[in-house]
Amino acid sequence: MWLWWFAILASGALWLPAEALESCAGHCRDFRGNCSCHVTCPSLNTCCPDYLQFCLEISPYSGSIMGGKDFVVLSEPWVSSASVTSVVCRFREAIHTQGYVDDEGRIHCVSPLLYESGRIPFSVSLDGGETFPSSGTWLAVHPNKVSGLDKSELINETMWQYYGTPGVTGNLTLSWNSSLLPEPRVNIELWGYQETGKPYSDEWEAEWSYLYTLARNFPNGNNFTFTPMPATPQYQAWEVGALRISGSSHTDGKRDVPAIWSNEHALAWHLGEDFRRDSAAWATAKCMNWVALDKKLPNFLTELMDCPCTLAQARADTGRFFTDYGCDIEQKSVCTYHPGAVHCVRSVQGSPRYASGQQCCYSASGTQVLTWDTSSGSTPDRGHDWGTYPYRRPPRVPGLSHWMYDVITFYYCCLWSQNCKLYLDMRPSSDCHTYSPPHLASAFGDPHFLTFDGVHFTFNGLGEYVLVQSDLTKLMVQGRTQPPLTSSGAQANATGLSAVVVKENASDVVEARLGGPTGRTLQVLLNQEILNFSEQRWVDLKGMFLAVSGDRNVSVMLSSGAGVEVQAHEHFLSVNILLPEEFLNHTQGLLGTLNNIPSDDFTLRNETVLPPEITSEPHKLFEFGADWAIRNDSSLFTYDSPTLVDNYLRPPKHDSAFLPVFTQGPLTPQVASLCGGDLFCQFDALVTGSLDIGNATRVAHLQHQHLQQSLQPVVSCGWLSAPEYGKKNGTSYLEGSTVKFSCEPGYKLRGSQEQTCQPNGQWSGVWPQCKPDHTVLLGVIFGVLLVVALAVLGYVMLKKRRRRM
């Protein structure tokens, strides 16, 4: 691509008169013959004249997969309502919704009901669907990631989901922001979700269905209160659903019209009279039936990865696990379904065959909370809560497949009846017996590289380089460096990371770079397009997930389980790369050969291994780093400004004329006070003359050390059960933990009273058993006989006394 673009730049074709330029109609994201419709053209000033008319920016740019979001095209008014036959918006080349032109001449579309999350391509027709020359991208998001301000609210949602159980009656209230739907009167409808057909077959289908209308032609105020009545029999099969508010000008149940949705929820309030008469019996029957059916389905548990052993590992393993929004220690969540936990994570990727998910929860002490010990423990999911690519079909539908197989079933067994043990037997917590932490490598500062095998070195070349590449998954992580400014404003004879870009197999390409007006804020690009995170902080992408935190942190989670974290500091980026065990012996680049052998980390492209001693020879280190410069034909970077074109696209990828300072000057009191014994901090502060840069290096180094410490392997001896007729005290099963045992009255402990997890992963002592205590039994028998004897003796003496009388 960039070779073509470089030829255009060199030819001067960009400056052809407007009448010679071509159109972007039907060609968005393409390079035309003598102008551009690519996303980089606005910043390069190379766009075809009609770029904005055919390459659409929209607002809002995101909404729920349930559809109904009205969004507007942000181009100049380019049509009038009189000139438009009919606006049709087409999503994924197949799903059509009706759009319109407002009084200001702006084009509007309505997002459709989808069964997938992520970026959805759409196009617009102004001639009733004959042609679709304009295109853009819509972001469909998991229902629970939609802002509460964009949804209607079930007031006292717990009451809605327990309505009809003992003591839960009365009125229910739905509230909403009427300004979200500029209609004078609305309809309030119930929609239900089901998955039909034989599970794991081609007939397995997902379906949202309009059921019935609760209120028709209702004033568009702010709330609706009603007393729910049991649904008629034909609707009682739906137990999961949501309420939809739409304009009363639309017919009941019309799809893909502007609407406000509630949360999806358990439809207790609409279930039949049999539920209201005896909800526990109804739910017990449902629970038993579910257990029988689930046992006939494939065992998805065997392909799930084990949980991390500790809370620290779970929070650090960001390539494979991510915070469960229902139990987040950072947000001080209540952890409703896991009251004994302070934090839960979910596996990022669905399992390979069954698209299932793992959940792992942790106590305040940092150890796992297991269902074998408490009903608060974490539970795996037959349907991954976040869905699994390519979505659309069960059990991959975001949120909703999870509701069908893991949430409504929890209501059956645990919340509406007292059969939770049955549920937990089907969804047992994972322990961490086979968990292996990922391997970590980092780069930061001027730049300092800390390899996967623990080698530290500094390479401050100027250019673009391979940080990590792997033949295992065609993983490629590239880094760009640029000189920082000294405290006087001059360019330092040093460099720091200014951009990091990542790709794996056929995934999207994500780039994080320093940008913005000051050049010190974090910009994130997807396939060379600068992303806007004003509405969503999490994006489902092809082959990866992307999450941003604040305005300085971005995490990329790849389908292989690899994770790339980039953080913006004052003058440079830092990057942490986490690779699972599968990448052993499958990496190359500046961050070394991952094989637990530090001595071969300085391996050149031609597989020549340089000796470890080059760490004390800066010029040889410099030559090693230069060998890993990328080439134009392998570059993943975006060159969307004259500066980037002139400094990185046109010249060689390694600037051999740039000679950095290889040695630092004498240590000053200020630097010593700031850095302490951190040699990286000292080097950067002295070479650049900037305490700010030194401090940024110190902070990044501390973050690496904290992450490395969190990812240290720990030994687990596995869960211990209490002996039959006994109890145990202790729920930690890691090295050094002790579990104590006792027996119920009438039983005596045989074996160890306590067992300790040893470094070899085995429990100390002998397995405890509670056996009947014969001493106690004899004592009881003797006591009974004594009582009987005394009673007999008393009876005899009483009889004698009566005879004397």
Side-chain angles (χ1 to χ4, degrees):
M1 178 193 301
W2 287 114
L3 293 178
W4 179 95
W5 188 235
F6 185 59
I8 291 292
L9 284 167
S11 70
L14 297 179
W15 315 115
L16 290 173
E19 58 270 15
L21 299 179
E22 299 182 66
S23 173
C24 288
H27 289 282
C28 279
R29 299 186 176 272
D30 293 341
F31 293 101
R32 305 292 278 138
N34 49 26
C35 62
S36 174
C37 303
H38 191 262
V39 292
T40 56
C41 75
S43 56
L44 287 170
N45 195 27
T46 58
C47 295
C48 298
D50 56 8
Y51 173 76
L52 291 177
Q53 280 69 50
F54 294 103
C55 303
L56 306 179
E57 295 183 20
I58 59 174
S59 179
Y61 64 78
S62 67
S64 170
I65 64 173
M66 296 160 75
K69 190 69 173 180
D70 185 325
F71 61 88
V72 63
V73 174
L74 296 179
S75 301
E76 305 91 1
W78 43 281
V79 295
S80 65
S81 56
S83 65
V84 177
T85 304
S86 175
V87 177
V88 178
C89 306
R90 183 176 66 185
F91 297 79
R92 278 237 182 270
E93 301 294 326
I95 305 170
H96 294 74
T97 65
Q98 193 68 44
Y100 65 95
V101 181
D102 65 20
D103 294 339
E104 299 177 15
R106 301 180 303 175
I107 300 295
H108 289 249
C109 289
V110 177
S111 67
L113 173 64
L114 297 163
Y115 297 98
E116 64 177 311
S117 56
R119 286 165 60 90
I120 311 296
F122 75 92
S123 53
V124 177
S125 170
L126 304 181
D127 54 14
E130 292 293 324
T131 60
F132 290 85
S134 304
S135 62
T137 303
W138 171 252
L139 179 61
V141 301
H142 188 294
N144 283 352
K145 291 186 171 72
V146 176
S147 167
L149 298 176
D150 287 337
K151 296 189 284 191
S152 61
E153 181 183 1
L154 306 173
I155 303 300
N156 190 356
E157 188 168 331
T158 300
M159 183 177 176
W160 287 73
Q161 300 187 109
Y162 279 79
Y163 199 95
T165 61
V168 185
T169 60
N171 292 333
L172 297 177
T173 299
L174 176 73
S175 72
W176 66 95
N177 180 355
S178 59
S179 65
L180 294 175
L181 194 65
E183 298 272 358
R185 307 188 77 81
V186 296
N187 294 340
I188 301 172
E189 305 165 342
L190 175 63
W191 288 63
Y193 181 77
Q194 283 189 331
E195 295 185 349
T196 59
K198 183 181 178 181
Y200 304 101
S201 75
D202 291 339
E203 290 76 41
W204 206 7
E205 297 287 345
E207 180 62 36
W208 268 106
S209 300
Y210 163 74
L211 302 184
Y212 53 84
T213 298
L214 292 174
R216 188 174 287 106
N217 205 30
F218 188 79
N220 187 9
N222 293 316
N223 60 71
F224 167 66
T225 299
F226 70 109
T227 303
M229 301 297 292
T232 54
Q234 68 263 38
Y235 300 123
Q236 291 178 18
W238 281 272
E239 297 159 358
V240 174
L243 294 175
R244 190 185 82 162
I245 305 170
S246 59
S248 59
S249 59
H250 302 293
T251 57
D252 291 352
K254 185 177 181 181
R255 290 179 177 266
D256 305 330
V257 298
I260 307 170
W261 289 90
S262 72
N263 281 336
E264 71 277 19
H265 59 280
L267 301 179
W269 57 273
H270 110 127
L271 296 177
E273 285 288 1
D274 51 348
F275 179 80
R276 295 192 180 188
R277 278 194 304 269
D278 192 340
S279 58
W282 182 96
T284 294
K286 285 281 187 177
C287 177
M288 299 293 187
N289 186 52
W290 166 70
V291 169
L293 290 174
D294 203 68
K295 285 181 176 178
K296 296 177 182 178
L297 298 179
N299 180 8
F300 70 92
L301 299 175
T302 58
E303 67 169 5
L304 294 178
M305 72 177 76
D306 266 358
C307 288
C309 291
T310 66
L311 176 59
Q313 287 178 336
R315 298 185 69 190
D317 191 352
T318 54
R320 295 181 290 182
F321 294 92
F322 200 80
T323 299
D324 182 346
Y325 47 75
C327 186
D328 182 356
I329 195 171
E330 294 292 334
Q331 301 299 322
K332 297 181 173 58
S333 300
V334 176
C335 301
T336 303
Y337 297 117
H338 307 280
V342 297
H343 191 73
C344 295
V345 296
R346 292 189 183 275
S347 57
V348 172
Q349 305 290 339
S351 63
R353 184 174 182 186
Y354 298 119
S356 303
Q358 184 66 278
Q359 184 191 51
C360 313
C361 293
Y362 300 87
S363 67
S365 65
T367 58
Q368 284 186 274
V369 182
L370 303 176
T371 52
W372 295 312
D373 295 324
T374 169
S375 59
S376 298
S378 51
T379 55
D381 304 317
R382 183 172 290 281
H384 196 301
D385 185 19
W386 303 335
T388 304
Y389 183 84
Y391 310 107
R392 304 188 200 179
R393 296 171 64 93
R396 299 172 177 271
V397 179
L400 300 168
S401 290
H402 175 57
W403 257 100
M404 295 305 298
Y405 301 101
D406 307 296
V407 182
I408 193 63
T409 52
F410 187 77
Y411 278 83
Y412 295 156
C413 301
C414 297
L415 302 182
W416 292 339
S417 73
Q418 301 300 311
N419 298 287
C420 208
K421 186 178 184 306
L422 291 174
Y423 183 89
L424 298 179
D425 286 345
M426 302 300 294
R427 299 287 187 269
S429 296
S430 159
D431 66 12
C432 65
H433 223 66
T434 65
Y435 173 75
S436 178
H439 298 262
L440 171 67
S442 300
F444 53 82
D446 178 19
H448 309 291
F449 294 86
L450 288 69
T451 73
F452 293 106
D453 292 343
V455 175
H456 297 184
F457 69 94
T458 297
F459 166 64
N460 38 24
L462 175 60
E464 295 172 342
Y465 306 92
V466 175
L467 301 182
V468 180
Q469 68 182 32
S470 173
D471 59 358
L472 183 68
T473 62
K474 295 184 173 56
L475 172 68
M476 177 64 78
V477 185
Q478 300 173 350
R480 173 189 291 155
T481 64
Q482 69 180 29
L485 298 179
T486 66
S487 54
S488 65
Q491 194 176 83
N493 286 330
T495 59
L497 284 172
S498 60
V500 174
V501 62
V502 58
K503 184 180 187 294
E504 181 179 66
N505 287 324
S507 76
D508 287 326
V509 178
V510 168
E511 180 178 350
R513 70 186 186 188
L514 292 173
T518 64
R520 295 183 180 180
T521 58
L522 187 67
Q523 284 185 339
V524 181
L525 295 85
L526 171 65
N527 301 328
Q528 305 188 3
E529 173 189 356
I530 298 174
L531 292 181
N532 174 0
F533 292 100
S534 61
E535 296 176 22
Q536 297 296 328
R537 314 291 284 176
W538 172 283
V539 187
D540 302 0
L541 300 173
K542 182 182 179 183
M544 60 175 65
F545 294 95
L546 176 67
V548 297
S549 174
D551 59 358
R552 287 182 169 262
N553 301 276
V554 59
S555 295
V556 182
M557 294 145 273
L558 300 162
S559 59
S560 65
V564 179
E565 299 179 347
V566 182
Q567 183 173 21
H569 298 269
E570 187 67 19
H571 298 272
F572 58 81
L573 300 178
S574 64
V575 59
N576 298 312
I577 300 172
L578 301 103
L579 298 183
E581 198 78 8
E582 292 81 0
F583 281 86
L584 275 171
N585 299 305
H586 288 284
T587 71
Q588 294 176 297
L590 290 178
L591 290 171
T593 305
L594 170 55
N595 58 6
N596 298 317
I597 304 173
S599 60
D600 66 357
D601 273 3
F602 298 114
T603 300
L604 302 176
R605 285 182 182 271
N606 64 8
E607 300 187 358
T608 299
V609 178
L610 303 180
E613 291 75 24
I614 68 168
T615 54
S616 60
E617 302 178 61
H619 287 84
K620 289 188 177 180
L621 265 179
F622 198 68
E623 293 172 7
F624 161 74
D627 185 65
W628 282 106
I630 66 175
R631 303 177 178 89
N632 266 332
D633 59 359
S634 63
S635 174
L636 300 176
F637 285 107
T638 302
Y639 305 93
D640 58 350
S641 72
T643 299
L644 291 173
V645 169
D646 291 341
N647 294 339
Y648 293 97
L649 177 61
R650 285 176 168 151
K653 293 303 185 184
H654 170 74
D655 186 351
S656 57
F658 177 81
L659 290 178
V661 175
F662 291 119
T663 57
Q664 65 188 50
L667 189 64
T668 66
Q670 296 92 336
V671 172
S673 175
L674 170 70
C675 299
D678 190 325
L679 298 181
F680 296 143
C681 171
Q682 293 177 14
F683 182 89
D684 290 0
L686 292 170
V687 167
T688 65
S690 169
L691 292 177
D692 285 344
I693 293 178
N695 187 56
T697 298
R698 182 184 65 85
V699 170
H701 191 198
L702 285 173
Q703 290 172 338
H704 167 86
Q705 291 172 325
H706 174 74
L707 196 57
Q708 189 75 277
Q709 182 60 39
S710 298
L711 290 171
Q712 288 300 306
V714 298
V715 174
S716 170
C717 292
W719 176 74
L720 278 180
S721 65
E724 188 178 10
Y725 307 113
K727 299 177 182 178
K728 72 171 182 177
N729 181 13
T731 56
S732 176
Y733 311 109
L734 304 181
E735 180 182 351
S737 300
T738 297
V739 179
K740 299 181 179 181
F741 305 94
S742 60
C743 293
E744 296 175 359
Y747 293 86
K748 187 174 183 179
L749 187 70
R750 292 185 181 177
S752 300
Q753 290 188 340
E754 62 180 38
Q755 291 185 277
T756 300
C757 181
Q758 302 175 104
N760 64 359
Q762 301 295 317
W763 288 102
S764 65
V766 179
W767 174 248
Q769 294 178 294
C770 291
K771 298 293 185 180
D773 189 341
H774 297 297
T775 303
V776 174
L777 181 60
L778 289 174
V780 170
I781 294 172
F782 177 78
V784 170
L785 291 175
L786 180 61
V787 169
V788 171
L790 290 173
V792 170
L793 179 62
Y795 175 75
V796 171
M797 292 181 67
L798 179 61
K799 220 172 171 187
K800 285 181 179 180
R801 191 178 297 122
R802 285 178 178 172
R803 285 177 185 167
R804 291 185 189 135
M805 294 174 65

